[in-house]
Amino acid sequence: MAQPGQTFMRGTLVLSVAAFINRILGFISGMYVARVLGAEGIGLLMMAHPLVPLVITITELGLPVAISKLVAEASARNERVKVRRILHVSLAVTGVLSVALTTISFLGSEWIASILLSDQRAYYAMLAITPIAPIVAVSAVLKGYFRGMQEMKTIAASDVLEHTVQIACVLAMVHLLLPYGIAYAAAGAMAASVVSEAISLLFLMTSYKLYGESKARGETWGSHLKQGRSTLSELLKIGLPTTGHGVIQSLFGAFQPLLITTSLAMAGIGTVLATKQFGMLAGYAFPLLFMPSFITQSLSTALVPAIGEAAANKNGLLIHERMNQALGLGLLIGAPATVILFEWATPLTTLVYNAPEAGLLLKILAPMFFLHYFDAPLHAILLGLGRANATLWNFVVATVFKAVSIFVFGSQFGIIGVTYGIGIGIIMQTLLNFLSISSSIGFYWSIQPYIKAGLSMVLMALCGRWTFDYLTLQELPLLWSVIGSIAASLLLYFAALLLMDTLKWKYTRGTISIPR
């Protein structure tokens, strides 16, 4: 039988591989859409999308996390009927809520658009994406079930299938609708997401039928729902604290485009140009910034139950060991990613999006975004410690601070000020989560490995700059100059870490660690 640590890392590995494939597929799809629709079309997409996460967050009620925990506990006690009751009650709640809220969204779409959309051309894209809410909500419940049953491969396969179908649908829909105008093409891209999510849901439902056990005699949906009051209470007790965080995040995401375009308007920038600049920031810079974080996100998914288990056993040493592993991985991924996104900002946005003007925004955000690679593990650690309220209030404070910063700096300095405002919000949230953990269990770490990693980053940046300039002088195509210089700088970075004895591989645990 696998040890808890091995199960934790195996789940992380499976999710990381799937997340990597999905990031590549999503990046290809995003690159195509960005090139075809341009910054203006991407701006319409980004404006239309934020309403959906709010609807999904409300319908899910934080149940996926609760489902995985309760299913794992019931499965360990061999309570198969309770496992199915948890699933049926969750599906009933999310199904009713998602259909009701989606219907309200359709009926009130014009009113919602008049409030949220600064550019009314995004209305069709908003309508096209609205049906995705019930599909995603039901998929999330099924994924919570498979996560609780430790069937990470099923979740990974469904995610890869979804992104594969999405690419094919996006290519077809955008190509077919672009002749009718950019607004319809943006709506087609949104509709492609609905189709891919539906295919993924069908896969999950089929997998459940193949994986699920046969029902006991007299076991029906009605019987589960009649006896499901206590089960619903258990689910909500775990799920509701995380729902507040999601609702606030979704509300801010829905109003952020309006906040940004309003601040840009106060800076004297017109609606069309403001939409284009917002598209460069949200559609060009952000995908590149979030690209390397798939490993820390996957780690965080597996980290919550791992920290919770250690906390329940009052094993402080194990908590700090896993925390050190998580932050070490964040450093390992975040340090070179930050150097690459800073040093090669303009070449990357030129190659990927044919938008060199977006390089400045990426260059500004990259150093501040370095802390984001630590924020996801810190957030997961707090959840594992049972401090969901702390994560909620930290997010509220950071969001208010970010909103004020965006408005103040954006109205004074335009899109550059907006970029700094977003970066300041990221820094604030990471520091607040760090302080919350320190106040709970203390924070014991050695500064030496981080100094060594910092020196390795400097060497990497210098090597990358020199190599890129040299290859450019040799009149190589931009693509090969970028690939060659990044490869050379990465080799030097990892070589420096090894020479300074900062990077080690623990074969006994199969994990990468930063020595203390």
Side-chain angles (χ1 to χ4, degrees):
M1 181 179 293
Q3 297 298 317
Q6 294 173 334
T7 303
F8 161 57
M9 293 309 297
R10 186 181 298 128
T12 300
L13 178 61
V14 170
L15 293 174
S16 295
V17 171
F20 175 73
I21 296 173
N22 294 337
R23 287 294 173 95
I24 296 298
L25 294 175
F27 195 73
I28 293 172
S29 175
M31 182 172 62
Y32 170 79
V33 173
R35 283 180 171 270
V36 173
L37 297 184
E40 189 177 352
I42 292 298
L44 296 178
L45 285 177
M46 295 300 105
M47 287 179 184
H49 186 266
L51 177 65
V52 176
L54 175 60
V55 175
I56 293 173
T57 299
I58 295 174
T59 57
E60 287 182 356
L61 292 175
L63 293 184
V65 175
I67 292 165
S68 63
K69 181 180 184 298
L70 294 180
V71 165
E73 292 176 352
S75 178
R77 294 191 296 264
N78 201 30
E79 298 175 350
R80 317 309 301 178
V81 174
K82 184 173 182 179
V83 169
R84 290 188 287 273
R85 183 176 301 148
I86 291 169
L87 182 61
H88 290 173
V89 170
S90 302
L91 286 173
V93 172
T94 55
V96 171
L97 280 176
S98 61
V99 171
L101 288 175
T102 301
T103 302
I104 293 172
S105 298
F106 269 123
L107 295 177
S109 59
E110 293 186 2
W111 177 75
I112 294 171
S114 66
I115 295 176
L116 294 182
L117 303 181
S118 58
D119 192 328
Q120 293 302 307
R121 291 177 299 168
Y123 174 71
Y124 298 109
M126 188 188 76
L127 278 183
I129 195 64
T130 302
I132 204 172
I135 300 173
V136 172
V138 175
S139 294
V141 170
L142 291 173
K143 287 179 181 179
Y145 165 80
F146 283 115
R147 196 175 293 117
M149 300 299 291
Q150 299 297 311
E151 285 293 317
M152 300 297 185
K153 292 181 181 178
T154 303
I155 300 173
S158 70
D159 289 342
V160 173
L161 174 64
E162 174 196 331
H163 282 78
T164 304
V165 173
Q166 185 178 23
I167 286 182
C169 291
V170 164
L171 293 176
M173 297 294 286
V174 172
H175 177 74
L176 287 173
L177 295 176
L178 189 60
Y180 297 96
I182 194 170
Y184 289 99
M190 287 298 202
S193 298
V194 178
V195 174
S196 62
E197 283 285 357
I199 297 296
S200 176
L201 175 58
L202 288 175
F203 173 82
L204 289 170
M205 294 172 65
T206 303
S207 299
Y208 173 70
K209 287 187 176 182
L210 295 175
Y211 182 82
E213 309 90 347
S214 59
K215 296 181 180 179
R217 180 175 297 181
E219 186 181 341
T220 63
W221 271 83
S223 65
H224 282 308
L225 296 181
K226 287 179 181 178
Q227 303 172 30
R229 180 174 297 180
S230 61
T231 301
L232 179 60
S233 178
E234 288 182 84
L235 288 165
L236 295 180
K237 184 177 180 180
I238 300 171
L240 284 180
T242 60
T243 304
H245 181 283
V247 169
I248 294 173
Q249 185 176 26
S250 299
L251 282 173
F252 181 74
F255 282 98
Q256 181 174 263
L258 186 62
L259 175 65
I260 291 175
T261 52
T262 300
S263 65
L264 293 178
M266 293 184 66
I269 299 172
T271 301
V272 174
L273 181 57
T275 301
K276 181 177 180 180
Q277 290 185 343
F278 176 69
M280 286 194 299
L281 179 61
Y284 293 174
F286 280 171
L288 289 171
L289 289 163
F290 281 107
M291 181 72 178
S293 64
F294 67 92
I295 294 180
T296 53
Q297 293 292 337
S298 300
L299 175 69
S300 300
T301 301
L303 192 59
V304 175
I307 293 292
E309 177 191 11
N313 294 327
K314 298 182 179 179
N315 192 339
L317 183 62
L318 183 58
I319 291 176
H320 283 91
E321 181 182 344
R322 286 176 172 168
M323 184 165 60
N324 189 54
Q325 289 175 351
L327 296 181
L329 190 57
L331 177 65
L332 184 69
I333 300 301
T338 299
V339 173
I340 291 171
L341 295 172
F342 181 82
E343 285 292 334
W344 287 270
T346 300
L348 284 173
T349 56
T350 302
L351 277 175
V352 177
Y353 304 114
N354 194 27
E357 62 273 21
L360 177 59
L361 306 181
L362 181 59
K363 200 178 189 75
I364 292 171
L365 273 176
M368 294 182 284
F369 207 81
F370 175 63
L371 289 180
H372 171 77
Y373 303 107
F374 299 95
D375 183 59
L378 291 174
H379 179 83
I381 291 167
L382 282 172
L383 290 178
L385 292 172
R387 297 204 58 194
N389 287 336
T391 64
L392 172 60
W393 288 112
N394 289 346
F395 182 74
V396 169
V397 173
T399 300
V400 171
F401 201 88
K402 178 165 66 173
V404 173
S405 299
I406 288 173
F407 185 77
V408 172
F409 292 130
S411 59
Q412 295 295 319
F413 306 107
I415 194 64
I416 301 298
V418 168
T419 306
Y420 275 109
I422 292 173
I424 290 171
I426 293 171
I427 295 173
M428 177 65 69
Q429 182 171 331
T430 306
L431 292 179
L432 288 174
N433 284 339
F434 173 81
L435 292 174
S436 295
I437 292 175
S438 298
S439 65
S440 295
I441 58 172
F443 209 96
Y444 310 107
W445 64 327
S446 172
I447 194 67
Q448 188 177 17
Y450 294 87
I451 293 176
K452 291 179 179 179
L455 292 174
S456 300
M457 290 173 67
V458 173
L459 291 175
M460 178 183 174
L462 293 174
C463 173
R465 174 66 62 85
W466 182 86
T467 308
F468 180 75
D469 290 343
Y470 175 78
L471 294 177
T472 302
L473 288 175
Q474 302 305 309
E475 298 185 350
L476 285 178
L478 180 60
L479 175 63
W480 295 112
S481 296
V482 169
I483 292 176
S485 55
I486 289 178
S489 65
L490 281 173
L491 286 174
L492 180 60
Y493 170 76
F494 286 109
L497 288 180
L498 289 171
L499 288 173
M500 289 188 287
D501 199 29
T502 304
L503 180 64
K504 288 184 178 180
W505 179 269
K506 292 186 179 180
Y507 292 97
T508 56
R509 292 188 180 273
T511 60
I512 295 174
S513 68
I514 302 296
R516 300 181 69 179

